[in-house]
Amino acid sequence: YKKKTVNRNVKKPSVEEMLEQFKELPLIEQRILKLLALYWEPSSADNIATLYKECRFNKQSGKQSFNFIHAPLQLLFSQKILERTDYRHFQLPHEYADALCNEYYASDEDLKKIANHILRTRSYYSSWYDASFSERQFRNMRLGRYLDNLRLFEEGFNNLTASREKGDRNLELM
């Protein structure tokens, strides 16, 4: 993987610009964005690498180093496509995540594979220190939507409604 130069004067692209940039990105960076678009919550580089490998995008087997993920993550961050949290986790801004899924989900096999994998392995799991119950439920609602799983969507919606009634402050962020 060739290291690319970082331009610190890059402005955050609009959603439309991000979708155009997405088409030109190498496959590994496209897949990282797809993973984060469906995962929804901030995630560490190691968790992103684990998800990537679990989806069998990386053909190399065994306990390979997670180093393959760092350069693409840094490039996406330098292009202002990814954001970093206080815990140095990466996150695809929600407006990008929605646009990417809305644009490509129906025709993209990677997105279907990722959605099924997240549902199977991480539907109630979070890798983010401050992940809220409501964020996980919202992620599950989105997975229900994309997987045509009405039960999962309704479960997430009902849990979010109950969470709102209890005054979950994180619900206001969605």
Side-chain angles (χ1 to χ4, degrees):
Y1 195 87
K2 292 181 180 177
K3 188 170 183 167
K4 299 179 183 176
T5 59
V6 175
N7 181 353
R8 302 212 186 278
N9 296 323
V10 174
K11 70 175 183 67
K12 182 178 177 179
S14 68
V15 170
E16 294 78 21
E17 291 168 333
M18 184 278 300
L19 288 173
E20 283 301 313
Q21 284 179 319
F22 176 81
K23 295 175 192 174
E24 306 301 321
L25 292 172
L27 185 59
I28 187 172
E29 291 159 358
Q30 288 182 1
R31 285 177 166 165
I32 289 168
L33 293 178
K34 293 174 195 178
L35 282 166
L36 290 172
L38 287 166
Y39 196 68
W40 196 252
E41 297 178 24
S43 187
S44 69
D46 285 352
N47 188 55
I48 296 166
T50 299
L51 281 167
Y52 195 94
K53 288 168 67 174
E54 288 173 352
C55 287
R56 304 201 188 288
F57 293 141
N58 192 342
K59 301 297 181 199
Q60 298 175 4
S61 61
K63 297 186 178 191
Q64 169 197 342
S65 164
F66 291 158
N67 290 339
F68 74 94
I69 208 81
H70 293 288
L73 285 173
Q74 288 305 320
L75 176 68
L76 292 167
F77 177 68
S78 72
Q79 292 176 337
K80 307 270 192 231
I81 295 172
L82 291 183
E83 296 175 344
R84 300 285 301 257
T85 68
D86 292 343
Y87 296 107
R88 302 188 47 81
H89 285 60
F90 292 93
Q91 181 173 23
L92 186 62
H94 292 163
E95 66 270 16
Y96 291 174
D98 280 335
L100 190 65
C101 289
N102 291 338
E103 181 78 18
Y104 292 104
Y105 192 85
S107 62
D108 190 291
E109 291 302 314
D110 282 351
L111 284 165
K112 293 175 179 99
K113 182 179 192 177
I114 293 164
N116 278 303
H117 180 74
I118 290 171
L119 179 61
R120 223 178 25 259
T121 63
R122 290 175 172 78
S123 61
Y124 293 99
Y125 164 80
S126 173
S127 66
W128 183 33
Y129 296 106
D130 285 340
S132 70
F133 173 79
S134 56
E135 288 210 33
R136 282 189 294 281
Q137 293 307 309
F138 192 75
R139 175 180 66 197
N140 290 346
M141 276 180 59
R142 292 178 79 246
L143 291 174
R145 172 187 172 206
Y146 293 120
L147 294 171
D148 291 324
N149 183 332
L150 182 59
R151 182 199 56 77
L152 182 62
F153 183 89
E154 287 177 338
E155 180 182 296
F157 180 81
N158 292 335
N159 287 336
L160 279 173
T161 303
S163 181
R164 182 174 188 186
E165 289 169 2
K166 293 177 186 173
D168 186 343
R169 65 178 177 79
N170 290 307
L171 194 57
E172 302 303 319
L173 301 175
M174 291 184 216

Short mmCIF file of all heavy atoms in Angstrom, two decimals, residues 19-60:
data_model
loop_
_atom_site.label_atom_id
_atom_site.label_comp_id
_atom_site.label_asym_id
_atom_site.label_seq_id
_atom_site.Cartn_x
_atom_site.Cartn_y
_atom_site.Cartn_z
N LEU A 19 -19.75 11.15 -2.10
CA LEU A 19 -20.21 10.05 -2.95
C LEU A 19 -19.42 9.99 -4.26
O LEU A 19 -19.12 8.89 -4.75
CB LEU A 19 -21.71 10.19 -3.25
CG LEU A 19 -22.64 9.90 -2.07
CD1 LEU A 19 -24.08 10.24 -2.43
CD2 LEU A 19 -22.51 8.45 -1.61
N GLU A 20 -19.04 11.13 -4.80
CA GLU A 20 -18.19 11.15 -6.00
C GLU A 20 -16.79 10.62 -5.69
O GLU A 20 -16.23 9.85 -6.46
CB GLU A 20 -18.11 12.57 -6.59
CG GLU A 20 -19.34 12.98 -7.36
CD GLU A 20 -19.65 12.05 -8.53
OE1 GLU A 20 -18.73 11.72 -9.31
OE2 GLU A 20 -20.83 11.65 -8.66
N GLN A 21 -16.22 11.06 -4.55
CA GLN A 21 -14.89 10.58 -4.15
C GLN A 21 -14.92 9.07 -3.94
O GLN A 21 -13.95 8.39 -4.26
CB GLN A 21 -14.44 11.27 -2.86
CG GLN A 21 -13.97 12.68 -3.02
CD GLN A 21 -13.55 13.27 -1.68
OE1 GLN A 21 -14.20 13.06 -0.65
NE2 GLN A 21 -12.47 14.03 -1.71
N PHE A 22 -16.00 8.58 -3.37
CA PHE A 22 -16.13 7.15 -3.06
C PHE A 22 -15.87 6.31 -4.31
O PHE A 22 -15.19 5.29 -4.24
CB PHE A 22 -17.52 6.87 -2.48
CG PHE A 22 -17.77 5.42 -2.21
CD1 PHE A 22 -17.29 4.84 -1.05
CD2 PHE A 22 -18.47 4.64 -3.12
CE1 PHE A 22 -17.51 3.49 -0.79
CE2 PHE A 22 -18.70 3.29 -2.87
CZ PHE A 22 -18.21 2.72 -1.71
N LYS A 23 -16.41 6.73 -5.43
CA LYS A 23 -16.27 5.97 -6.69
C LYS A 23 -14.82 5.83 -7.12
O LYS A 23 -14.46 4.86 -7.80
CB LYS A 23 -17.05 6.66 -7.81
CG LYS A 23 -18.53 6.69 -7.61
CD LYS A 23 -19.18 7.51 -8.71
CE LYS A 23 -20.62 7.80 -8.40
NZ LYS A 23 -21.22 8.70 -9.40
N GLU A 24 -13.98 6.78 -6.74
CA GLU A 24 -12.58 6.81 -7.17
C GLU A 24 -11.63 6.13 -6.18
O GLU A 24 -10.45 5.96 -6.47
CB GLU A 24 -12.13 8.26 -7.39
CG GLU A 24 -13.00 9.04 -8.35
CD GLU A 24 -13.09 8.41 -9.73
OE1 GLU A 24 -12.06 7.89 -10.22
OE2 GLU A 24 -14.20 8.40 -10.31
N LEU A 25 -12.12 5.78 -5.01
CA LEU A 25 -11.26 5.20 -3.98
C LEU A 25 -10.87 3.77 -4.30
O LEU A 25 -11.65 3.03 -4.93
CB LEU A 25 -11.98 5.21 -2.63
CG LEU A 25 -12.23 6.57 -1.98
CD1 LEU A 25 -13.12 6.41 -0.76
CD2 LEU A 25 -10.92 7.24 -1.61
N PRO A 26 -9.70 3.34 -3.84
CA PRO A 26 -9.33 1.92 -3.96
C PRO A 26 -10.33 1.05 -3.19
O PRO A 26 -11.00 1.51 -2.26
CB PRO A 26 -7.95 1.86 -3.31
CG PRO A 26 -7.43 3.25 -3.34
CD PRO A 26 -8.64 4.14 -3.24
N LEU A 27 -10.41 -0.20 -3.54
CA LEU A 27 -11.39 -1.12 -2.97
C LEU A 27 -11.31 -1.20 -1.45
O LEU A 27 -12.34 -1.20 -0.77
CB LEU A 27 -11.23 -2.51 -3.59
CG LEU A 27 -12.26 -3.55 -3.18
CD1 LEU A 27 -13.67 -3.10 -3.54
CD2 LEU A 27 -11.94 -4.88 -3.85
N ILE A 28 -10.12 -1.26 -0.87
CA ILE A 28 -10.00 -1.37 0.59
C ILE A 28 -10.65 -0.16 1.28
O ILE A 28 -11.35 -0.31 2.27
CB ILE A 28 -8.54 -1.57 1.06
CG1 ILE A 28 -8.51 -1.86 2.57
CG2 ILE A 28 -7.67 -0.39 0.70
CD1 ILE A 28 -7.14 -2.27 3.09
N GLU A 29 -10.46 1.02 0.74
CA GLU A 29 -11.04 2.22 1.35
C GLU A 29 -12.55 2.25 1.16
O GLU A 29 -13.29 2.65 2.07
CB GLU A 29 -10.36 3.47 0.79
CG GLU A 29 -8.93 3.56 1.28
CD GLU A 29 -8.04 4.44 0.42
OE1 GLU A 29 -8.50 4.97 -0.60
OE2 GLU A 29 -6.86 4.57 0.79
N GLN A 30 -13.03 1.80 0.01
CA GLN A 30 -14.48 1.70 -0.18
C GLN A 30 -15.08 0.75 0.85
O GLN A 30 -16.13 1.04 1.44
CB GLN A 30 -14.81 1.21 -1.59
CG GLN A 30 -14.58 2.22 -2.67
CD GLN A 30 -14.98 1.70 -4.04
OE1 GLN A 30 -15.45 0.57 -4.20
NE2 GLN A 30 -14.78 2.54 -5.05
N ARG A 31 -14.43 -0.38 1.05
CA ARG A 31 -14.97 -1.37 2.01
C ARG A 31 -14.92 -0.85 3.44
O ARG A 31 -15.83 -1.13 4.23
CB ARG A 31 -14.22 -2.69 1.86
CG ARG A 31 -14.64 -3.42 0.61
CD ARG A 31 -13.87 -4.70 0.41
NE ARG A 31 -14.51 -5.53 -0.60
CZ ARG A 31 -13.93 -6.56 -1.17
NH1 ARG A 31 -12.69 -6.91 -0.83
NH2 ARG A 31 -14.58 -7.26 -2.08
N ILE A 32 -13.90 -0.12 3.80
CA ILE A 32 -13.85 0.48 5.14
C ILE A 32 -15.03 1.42 5.33
O ILE A 32 -15.70 1.40 6.37
CB ILE A 32 -12.51 1.22 5.35
CG1 ILE A 32 -11.35 0.23 5.49
CG2 ILE A 32 -12.58 2.14 6.57
CD1 ILE A 32 -9.97 0.86 5.42
N LEU A 33 -15.31 2.25 4.33
CA LEU A 33 -16.44 3.17 4.43
C LEU A 33 -17.76 2.42 4.52
O LEU A 33 -18.65 2.80 5.29
CB LEU A 33 -16.44 4.15 3.27
CG LEU A 33 -15.29 5.14 3.25
CD1 LEU A 33 -15.37 6.04 2.02
CD2 LEU A 33 -15.25 5.98 4.53
N LYS A 34 -17.89 1.34 3.78
CA LYS A 34 -19.11 0.54 3.86
C LYS A 34 -19.27 -0.07 5.25
O LYS A 34 -20.38 -0.09 5.80
CB LYS A 34 -19.08 -0.58 2.80
CG LYS A 34 -19.16 -0.08 1.38
CD LYS A 34 -18.96 -1.26 0.43
CE LYS A 34 -18.65 -0.84 -0.98
NZ LYS A 34 -18.42 -2.00 -1.86
N LEU A 35 -18.16 -0.59 5.80
CA LEU A 35 -18.21 -1.15 7.15
C LEU A 35 -18.69 -0.10 8.16
O LEU A 35 -19.57 -0.36 8.97
CB LEU A 35 -16.83 -1.66 7.58
CG LEU A 35 -16.37 -3.00 7.04
CD1 LEU A 35 -14.88 -3.17 7.26
CD2 LEU A 35 -17.14 -4.12 7.71
N LEU A 36 -18.08 1.06 8.11
CA LEU A 36 -18.42 2.10 9.07
C LEU A 36 -19.80 2.69 8.82
O LEU A 36 -20.47 3.11 9.77
CB LEU A 36 -17.35 3.19 9.06
CG LEU A 36 -16.02 2.75 9.66
CD1 LEU A 36 -14.95 3.80 9.44
CD2 LEU A 36 -16.16 2.43 11.13
N ALA A 37 -20.26 2.69 7.57
CA ALA A 37 -21.59 3.19 7.27
C ALA A 37 -22.66 2.33 7.95
O ALA A 37 -23.66 2.84 8.45
CB ALA A 37 -21.83 3.23 5.76
N LEU A 38 -22.44 1.03 7.99
CA LEU A 38 -23.41 0.14 8.61
C LEU A 38 -23.15 -0.06 10.10
O LEU A 38 -24.09 -0.26 10.86
CB LEU A 38 -23.43 -1.21 7.89
CG LEU A 38 -24.09 -1.15 6.52
CD1 LEU A 38 -23.80 -2.40 5.72
CD2 LEU A 38 -25.60 -0.96 6.67
N TYR A 39 -21.90 0.02 10.52
CA TYR A 39 -21.59 -0.17 11.95
C TYR A 39 -22.12 0.99 12.78
O TYR A 39 -22.46 0.83 13.94
CB TYR A 39 -20.08 -0.35 12.12
CG TYR A 39 -19.72 -0.91 13.47
CD1 TYR A 39 -20.06 -2.22 13.79
CD2 TYR A 39 -19.06 -0.15 14.41
CE1 TYR A 39 -19.75 -2.75 15.02
CE2 TYR A 39 -18.74 -0.67 15.65
CZ TYR A 39 -19.09 -1.97 15.95
OH TYR A 39 -18.78 -2.49 17.17
N TRP A 40 -22.13 2.19 12.20
CA TRP A 40 -22.75 3.39 12.76
C TRP A 40 -21.99 4.01 13.91
O TRP A 40 -21.86 5.21 14.00
CB TRP A 40 -24.20 3.10 13.18
CG TRP A 40 -25.03 4.31 13.41
CD1 TRP A 40 -25.46 4.77 14.63
CD2 TRP A 40 -25.56 5.22 12.44
NE1 TRP A 40 -26.24 5.90 14.47
CE2 TRP A 40 -26.32 6.19 13.12
CE3 TRP A 40 -25.47 5.30 11.06
CZ2 TRP A 40 -26.95 7.23 12.47
CZ3 TRP A 40 -26.11 6.33 10.41
CH2 TRP A 40 -26.85 7.28 11.11
N GLU A 41 -21.49 3.25 14.83
CA GLU A 41 -20.79 3.77 16.01
C GLU A 41 -19.31 3.99 15.70
O GLU A 41 -18.75 3.33 14.84
CB GLU A 41 -20.89 2.78 17.17
CG GLU A 41 -22.27 2.52 17.66
CD GLU A 41 -22.31 1.49 18.78
OE1 GLU A 41 -21.29 1.32 19.47
OE2 GLU A 41 -23.35 0.86 18.94
N PRO A 42 -18.67 4.88 16.45
CA PRO A 42 -17.21 5.01 16.33
C PRO A 42 -16.53 3.68 16.64
O PRO A 42 -17.03 2.89 17.45
CB PRO A 42 -16.86 6.05 17.40
CG PRO A 42 -18.12 6.81 17.61
CD PRO A 42 -19.22 5.81 17.43
N SER A 43 -15.41 3.43 15.99
CA SER A 43 -14.75 2.15 16.14
C SER A 43 -13.23 2.33 16.07
O SER A 43 -12.73 3.16 15.31
CB SER A 43 -15.22 1.22 15.02
OG SER A 43 -14.73 -0.07 15.21
N SER A 44 -12.53 1.50 16.82
CA SER A 44 -11.07 1.54 16.79
C SER A 44 -10.56 0.95 15.49
O SER A 44 -11.25 0.18 14.81
CB SER A 44 -10.51 0.73 17.97
OG SER A 44 -10.77 -0.65 17.77
N ALA A 45 -9.33 1.28 15.16
CA ALA A 45 -8.70 0.72 13.97
C ALA A 45 -8.65 -0.81 14.05
O ALA A 45 -8.91 -1.51 13.07
CB ALA A 45 -7.29 1.29 13.79
N ASP A 46 -8.35 -1.34 15.23
CA ASP A 46 -8.30 -2.79 15.39
C ASP A 46 -9.66 -3.43 15.17
O ASP A 46 -9.77 -4.50 14.57
CB ASP A 46 -7.75 -3.17 16.76
CG ASP A 46 -6.25 -2.97 16.88
OD1 ASP A 46 -5.60 -2.68 15.85
OD2 ASP A 46 -5.73 -3.10 17.99
N ASN A 47 -10.72 -2.80 15.66
CA ASN A 47 -12.06 -3.35 15.46
C ASN A 47 -12.44 -3.29 13.98
O ASN A 47 -13.05 -4.22 13.45
CB ASN A 47 -13.10 -2.62 16.30
CG ASN A 47 -14.45 -3.31 16.25
OD1 ASN A 47 -14.58 -4.48 16.54
ND2 ASN A 47 -15.46 -2.56 15.83
N ILE A 48 -12.08 -2.22 13.30
CA ILE A 48 -12.36 -2.11 11.87
C ILE A 48 -11.61 -3.20 11.11
O ILE A 48 -12.18 -3.87 10.24
CB ILE A 48 -11.98 -0.71 11.34
CG1 ILE A 48 -12.87 0.36 12.01
CG2 ILE A 48 -12.11 -0.64 9.82
CD1 ILE A 48 -12.37 1.78 11.83
N ALA A 49 -10.35 -3.43 11.47
CA ALA A 49 -9.56 -4.49 10.83
C ALA A 49 -10.18 -5.86 11.10
O ALA A 49 -10.25 -6.71 10.20
CB ALA A 49 -8.12 -4.44 11.32
N THR A 50 -10.65 -6.07 12.32
CA THR A 50 -11.28 -7.34 12.67
C THR A 50 -12.55 -7.55 11.85
O THR A 50 -12.75 -8.63 11.27
CB THR A 50 -11.61 -7.39 14.18
OG1 THR A 50 -10.39 -7.28 14.92
CG2 THR A 50 -12.31 -8.68 14.55
N LEU A 51 -13.39 -6.53 11.78
CA LEU A 51 -14.60 -6.63 10.97
C LEU A 51 -14.25 -6.91 9.51
O LEU A 51 -14.88 -7.74 8.85
CB LEU A 51 -15.41 -5.34 11.05
CG LEU A 51 -16.27 -5.13 12.28
CD1 LEU A 51 -16.74 -3.68 12.37
CD2 LEU A 51 -17.46 -6.07 12.26
N TYR A 52 -13.25 -6.21 9.01
CA TYR A 52 -12.81 -6.38 7.62
C TYR A 52 -12.40 -7.83 7.37
O TYR A 52 -12.81 -8.44 6.38
CB TYR A 52 -11.64 -5.43 7.36
CG TYR A 52 -11.31 -5.24 5.90
CD1 TYR A 52 -11.87 -4.18 5.19
CD2 TYR A 52 -10.44 -6.09 5.23
CE1 TYR A 52 -11.57 -3.97 3.85
CE2 TYR A 52 -10.13 -5.90 3.90
CZ TYR A 52 -10.69 -4.84 3.21
OH TYR A 52 -10.40 -4.65 1.89
N LYS A 53 -11.61 -8.37 8.28
CA LYS A 53 -11.15 -9.75 8.13
C LYS A 53 -12.29 -10.75 8.31
O LYS A 53 -12.39 -11.73 7.59
CB LYS A 53 -10.02 -10.03 9.12
CG LYS A 53 -8.73 -9.32 8.75
CD LYS A 53 -7.70 -9.35 9.84
CE LYS A 53 -7.17 -10.71 10.10
NZ LYS A 53 -6.06 -10.70 11.08
N GLU A 54 -13.19 -10.49 9.27
CA GLU A 54 -14.31 -11.39 9.51
C GLU A 54 -15.26 -11.45 8.30
O GLU A 54 -15.89 -12.47 8.06
CB GLU A 54 -15.10 -10.97 10.75
CG GLU A 54 -14.37 -11.23 12.04
CD GLU A 54 -15.08 -10.64 13.24
OE1 GLU A 54 -16.08 -9.88 13.09
OE2 GLU A 54 -14.64 -10.94 14.37
N CYS A 55 -15.34 -10.36 7.56
CA CYS A 55 -16.16 -10.34 6.34
C CYS A 55 -15.43 -11.01 5.18
O CYS A 55 -15.95 -11.07 4.08
CB CYS A 55 -16.55 -8.91 5.99
SG CYS A 55 -17.80 -8.21 7.07
N ARG A 56 -14.24 -11.47 5.45
CA ARG A 56 -13.40 -12.19 4.48
C ARG A 56 -13.03 -11.33 3.27
O ARG A 56 -12.93 -11.81 2.15
CB ARG A 56 -14.05 -13.49 4.05
CG ARG A 56 -14.38 -14.40 5.21
CD ARG A 56 -14.54 -15.82 4.78
NE ARG A 56 -15.05 -16.68 5.83
CZ ARG A 56 -14.37 -17.10 6.91
NH1 ARG A 56 -13.15 -16.70 7.08
NH2 ARG A 56 -14.91 -17.90 7.79
N PHE A 57 -12.82 -10.04 3.54
CA PHE A 57 -12.34 -9.15 2.48
C PHE A 57 -10.84 -9.27 2.33
O PHE A 57 -10.29 -9.00 1.29
CB PHE A 57 -12.68 -7.69 2.80
CG PHE A 57 -14.15 -7.39 2.76
CD1 PHE A 57 -14.71 -6.53 3.69
CD2 PHE A 57 -14.97 -7.94 1.80
CE1 PHE A 57 -16.05 -6.23 3.65
CE2 PHE A 57 -16.32 -7.65 1.76
CZ PHE A 57 -16.86 -6.80 2.69
N ASN A 58 -10.18 -9.66 3.42
CA ASN A 58 -8.73 -9.79 3.41
C ASN A 58 -8.41 -11.27 3.21
O ASN A 58 -8.67 -12.08 4.08
CB ASN A 58 -8.14 -9.28 4.73
CG ASN A 58 -6.65 -9.13 4.67
OD1 ASN A 58 -6.00 -9.69 3.80
ND2 ASN A 58 -6.10 -8.37 5.58
N LYS A 59 -7.83 -11.60 2.09
CA LYS A 59 -7.60 -13.00 1.73
C LYS A 59 -6.48 -13.65 2.55
O LYS A 59 -6.37 -14.86 2.59
CB LYS A 59 -7.28 -13.14 0.24
CG LYS A 59 -8.38 -12.62 -0.65
CD LYS A 59 -9.64 -13.40 -0.47
CE LYS A 59 -10.73 -12.87 -1.38
NZ LYS A 59 -12.05 -13.25 -0.99
N GLN A 60 -5.68 -12.84 3.20
CA GLN A 60 -4.59 -13.41 3.99
C GLN A 60 -5.19 -13.97 5.28
O GLN A 60 -6.03 -13.36 5.90
CB GLN A 60 -3.55 -12.36 4.30
CG GLN A 60 -2.90 -11.83 3.04
CD GLN A 60 -1.95 -10.70 3.31
OE1 GLN A 60 -1.71 -10.35 4.45
NE2 GLN A 60 -1.42 -10.12 2.26
#
